[in-house]
Amino acid sequence: MGAFMQLTAQHVHEPIDQGPSTVARLRAQLERVQGRRLDAPVLPVHPALAALLPGGGLQPGAAYSLPRSTSLLLALLALPTQAGSWCGVVGMPRLGAEAAEALGVDLSRLVLVPDPGARWLAVTATVAEVLPVVAVRPSGRAPDGEVARLAARLRDRGAVLLVQGPWPQAEAALEVGDPVWEGVGRGHGYLAGREVTLTVSSRRWPRPRRARVMLPDAAGHVSATEQARSVQPVHPVDVEARSVYPLEARAVG
């Protein structure tokens, strides 16, 4: 298994306090390591998700509103990390490394700030200075002025912000619903995959876009599905702390 980088809120703030030259140096170092500029036109996502997003990927400088589905978040981070982009995750102490790796995230390009404290928004803005993709789970309401300053910083740096929760002026809002687990028999069995409806709303479209996807599929990855399969649903289960499949469970109903 790969290893990810974990920072404390104090570590995140230390280089910023040394001035803008430190930020520029970190950006230059990351660009050399990645072999690409941080202001690339679009960051790739899995084909099962690309058709639902404006522009077919994650737009630099844009923010996206997500549900509290760690599996969806990890699916969005997978291809950017595989393509060489560094990603930061702020305020998610229970995020599982094995689950992230199973969904395709390159852990060597993942930076975690599990406990940013009350200054979660300032920490997020700091991470967005040097990383092209930042995901955050807000721990409180963000003042409008600080949100506007963060939006300006995202545009200036060409960074992508993934927020688990509502967010003003988001490029798109994603929702997960109608979960159906595969692999459950008559009252018992092994959970082999979860099929969900993914709905994406955007100010660029008159109507939301919807698709059924496996999140995760039997291999622990994300994949498209032509139509809902005839399987027995069980209570939805988030995979935030899950890392091994299959999981034994009883059917409900």
Side-chain angles (χ1 to χ4, degrees):
M1 181 191 304
F4 55 82
M5 184 185 303
Q6 182 164 307
L7 302 178
T8 65
Q10 179 181 0
H11 291 149
V12 172
H13 283 292
E14 284 175 354
I16 300 304
D17 293 338
Q18 296 174 16
S21 61
T22 301
V23 174
R25 185 167 64 252
L26 289 172
R27 283 174 56 85
Q29 290 173 351
L30 281 172
E31 288 175 357
R32 286 197 298 271
V33 170
Q34 297 180 60
R36 59 181 293 279
R37 291 187 56 81
L38 300 184
D39 56 357
V42 67
L43 292 178
V45 296
H46 191 280
L49 308 177
L52 299 172
L53 294 175
L58 298 175
Q59 298 283 349
Y64 297 82
S65 174
L66 310 181
R68 288 206 172 192
S69 167
T70 305
S71 53
L72 175 59
L73 172 63
L74 295 176
L76 290 170
L77 296 180
L79 259 64
T81 60
Q82 293 176 21
S85 294
W86 285 73
C87 298
V89 178
V90 179
M92 302 183 201
R94 296 182 57 224
L95 186 137
E98 291 186 40
E101 192 171 49
L103 277 164
V105 177
D106 182 351
L107 298 183
S108 68
R109 298 188 180 276
L110 185 65
V111 178
L112 301 182
V113 186
D115 186 12
R119 300 191 64 196
W120 63 269
L121 188 59
V123 171
T124 300
T126 298
V127 175
E129 290 276 0
V130 293
L131 300 185
V133 183
V134 183
V136 61
R137 177 176 290 180
S139 58
R141 184 183 180 279
D144 294 341
E146 293 188 25
V147 170
R149 284 191 289 272
L150 176 55
R153 183 170 299 184
L154 293 173
R155 291 191 296 269
D156 179 59
R157 299 302 187 188
V160 173
L161 179 66
L162 304 175
V163 183
Q164 286 196 333
W167 195 252
Q169 299 182 348
E171 176 72 14
L174 289 71
E175 297 178 4
V176 173
D178 305 321
V180 176
W181 280 95
E182 280 194 342
V184 180
R186 298 179 64 85
H188 60 85
Y190 290 89
L191 299 178
R194 182 181 66 163
E195 183 177 316
V196 300
T197 297
L198 185 59
T199 303
V200 179
S201 303
S202 174
R203 54 188 173 179
R204 299 178 182 270
W205 304 326
R207 292 184 299 275
R209 296 180 179 179
R210 293 183 176 87
R212 292 292 283 179
V213 298
M214 297 300 298
L215 189 65
D217 59 20
H221 306 147
V222 57
S223 60
T225 178
E226 293 297 330
Q227 59 184 5
R229 296 178 175 86
S230 179
V231 295
Q232 190 170 0
V234 298
H235 286 310
V237 179
D238 196 282
V239 298
E240 180 168 10
R242 309 289 188 182
S243 59
V244 180
Y245 295 92
L247 300 174
E248 188 170 5
R250 291 187 177 182
V252 174

